[in-house]
Each structure stands twice: as structure tokens, then as C-alpha cells.
Amino acid sequence: MNELKIWNNFKELQKYGKFESNYYLGYVYFVEYGKHVKIGCTKNPIKRLGSLYSNAKSYHDIELGRIYITPKHTNYRENESILHSYFINKRKENSELFSITIEDAIDSISKIPLSFLDDSLEKEKREVEMLEGIKNTYCNQRIKTTYY
């Protein structure tokens, strides 16, 4: 896993955080949200956390606290789901907020343990092959049904 980095707040993340954008890769994040920790996933951490920052401040009068973002990986949605299940007894009803500390959330990565896969090249190859197959099937059908 990459070096652990915790940002103190959204403004610091916005200023210093650098995240690659990729169709297949995403991130799991933990953010202190008032007395709770929100566990979520996103392809674009700055944009997502910016939205959370605005909503927390505008609608709940809450400042976002410390933020941790995992390394990029293709199974980020599965990891988010695993984390939600792991902390199910600490979950605030009908939300992605949990009565845990950000340290609890970070420690859970090694306790579960989570894997951070990057099979984006394989996924891209399968997608290209699938699209080529569709294109070939479509073109062959058009050739057979073309009237002269």
C-alpha cells in the first residue's frame, strides 16, 4: 500500500492532493464529518469531497475534519461495501456515517484486510474486445441485409 497520508481538512486536500483520473480506477475515502466518519468511494476525490464540504457547511453547519484517501484501485466499490459491512453495528441509520474514529477506519484496512487491485489494463482489453465483437457482428449483419 502507498504511504499513509491524512489531510487535516478539505482546504489542505484541495491544495496539495493529487489524484489520477481513470475510467476504471477509484478511491475509498474516510472523512471526519462532525462526530462521525463518512466512508465513501469516488473516482474524483477533490470533486466529491468538495461537494461534501459544501453540503456539510451549508446544510448541517459541520466542518469536515481529517481526510484519508486510499491508493487508487479498480475494486474500490467492493472495498467500500466491505467497510460498510465491517462497521455495520456503528452505522448511523440511513447514512454512510459511522460512530468510529478515522483511526478505526484506517486500522480496518489491515484488519479486514482489504486488497487494492489494479486490473484496469485487463478490463480495458476486455472492453475493446467486446466492442470489436459488437462492431463486427453489427457490420456483418448490415452487409447481409443491404439491398442493392
Side-chain angles (χ1 to χ4, degrees), residues 61-124:
D61 199 27
I62 292 174
E63 289 285 333
L64 298 185
R66 295 176 296 165
I67 300 166
Y68 171 75
I69 300 172
T70 65
K72 64 183 185 292
H73 55 294
T74 50
N75 60 324
Y76 62 99
R77 287 188 179 105
E78 293 89 350
N79 281 342
E80 178 199 31
S81 180
I82 291 167
L83 287 160
H84 284 191
S85 296
Y86 185 78
F87 289 114
I88 192 74
N89 294 330
K90 305 281 188 171
R91 188 176 197 148
K92 185 176 176 187
E93 193 173 335
N94 298 322
S95 75
E96 292 186 338
L97 299 176
F98 298 84
S99 296
I100 59 175
T101 65
I102 199 163
E103 289 81 11
D104 293 335
I106 294 167
D107 289 346
S108 71
I109 292 172
S110 59
K111 287 179 183 173
I112 291 175
L114 295 181
S115 62
F116 298 97
L117 305 177
D118 182 355
D119 55 357
S120 55
L121 293 177
E122 293 86 4
K123 287 183 179 213
E124 184 173 12

